[in-house]
Amino acid sequence: MAGNTEWAADAATDPELACPTSSVVDIVFSRWTTPIMWTLHMHGRQRFVELQRHIGTITPKVLTQRLRQLERDGMVVRTYHPEVPPRVEYEITDLGHSLAPLFAHLAEWAATNLDKVEQARHAYDTDPPQ
């Protein structure tokens, strides 16, 4: 009980504690994480260039940064093959695969609601609030 009181007091002053999903949102929904995770989920193990080709508009620098972060977060595993020339492959981990139901729910929400979002945007843009 006392732990809950302390948490509630901390949550009142720390927005990240008030919304415990914020760290998950930071991990999963940063700009390029979703396309990377989706590509690895759909196509399996990928070399860097294959991954970049599937995503299309991502720069090599940004792809490298996101892959390192995803590896650090335990979502992706990087496998180095010491051959000539060296080969590196990326693969989604079991932890990364555990996000599949979350993405399935989001896809379902999008299919159901994105038209409503577009209608709301159109209404707002047509007659913006004063």
Side-chain angles (χ1 to χ4, degrees):
M1 229 21 190
N4 287 341
T5 306
E6 286 177 30
W7 179 84
D10 290 342
T13 58
D14 186 345
E16 287 194 29
L17 288 176
C19 182
T21 60
S22 63
S23 59
V24 174
V25 170
D26 288 343
I27 292 168
V28 178
F29 298 110
S30 64
R31 172 66 178 101
W32 290 104
T33 298
T34 306
I36 292 169
M37 296 291 285
W38 182 86
T39 301
L40 290 173
H41 178 75
M42 294 302 293
H43 299 284
R45 182 181 300 143
Q46 298 276 298
R47 294 179 73 172
F48 185 90
V49 255
E50 294 169 319
L51 191 54
Q52 185 180 15
R53 188 173 34 246
H54 277 112
I55 296 171
T57 57
I58 192 168
T59 66
K61 177 184 176 187
V62 171
L63 181 56
T64 298
Q65 290 171 341
R66 291 310 310 147
L67 285 168
R68 285 183 183 156
Q69 186 62 50
L70 288 167
E71 185 179 10
R72 182 175 180 256
D73 291 338
M75 302 294 163
V76 168
V77 64
R78 177 184 185 268
T79 305
Y80 175 78
H81 300 278
E83 45 193 48
V84 178
R87 181 169 51 101
V88 176
E89 295 176 318
Y90 297 89
E91 187 172 11
I92 195 169
T93 64
D94 288 341
L95 182 60
H97 277 295
S98 72
L99 291 169
L102 172 66
F103 287 120
H105 285 294
L106 287 171
E108 183 181 320
W109 184 91
T112 303
N113 294 298
L114 280 183
D115 285 344
K116 296 172 192 167
V117 171
E118 285 301 318
Q119 290 169 4
R121 287 176 179 171
H122 178 72
Y124 183 92
D125 292 344
T126 302
D127 187 21
Q130 302 300 326

